[in-house]
Amino acid sequence: MKVLVAVKRVVDYNVKVRPKADGTGVELNNVKMSINPFCEIAVEEAVRLKEKGTVTEIVAVSIGPQQAQEQLRTALALGADRAILIKSDSDLEPLAVAKCLKAVCEQESPDLVLMGKQSIDGDNNQTGQMLGALTGYPQGTFASQVVVEGGKVNVTREIDGGLQTLALNLPAIVTTDLRLNEPRYASLPNIMKAKKKPLDTMTPEELGVDTAPRVTLLKVEAPAQRAAGIKVASVDELVEKLKNEAKVI
């Protein structure tokens, strides 16, 4: 059984992002970059399935600049067998990413596609659903438990009313949620081994994918600073300020 895992290069979640001075995007120079946390959970789940003997091969794929090789090498160190980088220096929209992943699925014919439910930079939560529509694969989103058995994958997902379990025929797409697992740390021996694992590079053009943007970014700016709060001595003073200053009552 082959698993394809999508990995995205994003600004590390511990870094406080700031917009560029000209407002054309987010400042990325000299900023620590990491695997998107939800993608890391997808990699961990694929590795656990391999450790159980369910999966025989894990292929990590990323779409981004040449530097995204660093995140793919991390995925290889965590347990992926080989990696594919679709090189693009543009900030691709979810539809373009889904089209690239569809082309890779046609080449690799995976039994299962694991990917994070969303990235922490764009926060769109669209790529998995779009890939499902393009490929025709059944999909289970926001997975908190994944069990592969009998040619199906059972996905437990969180919904407003509680938990819902879906039985999906393979091949299928599963997007991972935070409660699915806790990713491991890559050991030094595995980091060294990852340097020798195969990593192929291609471009969207070689895959025959049109990545032209459908949305125009006008401006990126930081949110307005919130005013500091104040303390009041009594309920009467609070009511007076809400009425006369905040004018909310």
Side-chain angles (χ1 to χ4, degrees), residues 43-214:
V43 173
E44 174 65 23
E45 191 63 23
V47 173
R48 293 189 183 190
L49 289 173
K50 186 178 180 181
E51 291 173 344
K52 292 177 183 177
T54 306
V55 171
T56 55
E57 184 181 23
I58 301 172
V59 182
V61 57
S62 186
I63 305 164
Q66 187 70 24
Q67 296 92 319
Q69 286 192 16
E70 300 171 12
Q71 283 66 47
L72 284 175
R73 291 295 179 193
T74 300
L76 292 171
L78 290 171
D81 298 295
R82 57 189 178 90
I84 299 171
L85 172 62
I86 303 173
K87 187 179 176 182
S88 175
D89 293 323
S90 303
D91 187 12
L92 300 186
E93 296 172 0
L95 180 58
V97 173
K99 287 180 177 179
C100 290
L101 292 176
K102 174 180 180 288
V104 174
C105 287
E106 291 173 348
Q107 289 185 357
E108 296 289 336
S109 300
D111 300 289
L112 181 64
V113 179
L114 287 173
M115 54 200 308
K117 70 170 185 175
Q118 65 194 78
S119 61
I120 61 172
D121 52 1
D123 229 22
N124 291 306
N125 183 15
Q126 295 176 339
T127 305
Q129 292 86 329
M130 289 179 172
L131 180 60
L134 292 172
T135 59
Y137 292 174
Q139 59 177 297
T141 55
F142 319 128
S144 59
Q145 185 179 15
V146 175
V147 178
V148 180
E149 57 184 7
K152 294 180 182 290
V153 54
N154 296 322
V155 179
T156 301
R157 57 193 300 268
E158 298 182 359
I159 59 175
D160 290 342
L163 296 177
Q164 179 187 64
T165 301
L166 304 176
L168 310 177
N169 293 321
L170 298 175
I173 298 167
V174 175
T175 68
T176 59
D177 209 343
L178 283 174
R179 277 166 286 279
L180 179 58
N181 60 51
E182 184 175 343
R184 70 192 68 189
Y185 291 100
S187 64
L188 182 58
N190 287 337
I191 292 173
M192 300 305 294
K193 291 177 184 177
K195 295 180 180 180
K196 298 180 180 180
K197 291 183 178 180
L199 194 159
D200 299 325
T201 303
M202 56 188 72
T203 64
E205 291 73 24
E206 291 173 350
L207 295 172
V209 175
D210 174 22
T211 59
R214 268 71 176 175

Side-chain angles (χ1 to χ4, degrees), residues 18-28 91 216-221:
R18 52 190 175 87
K20 294 180 180 178
D22 57 5
T24 57
V26 174
E27 184 60 66
L28 299 179
D91 187 12
T216 301
L217 177 64
L218 299 180
K219 189 177 182 182
V220 176
E221 58 185 357

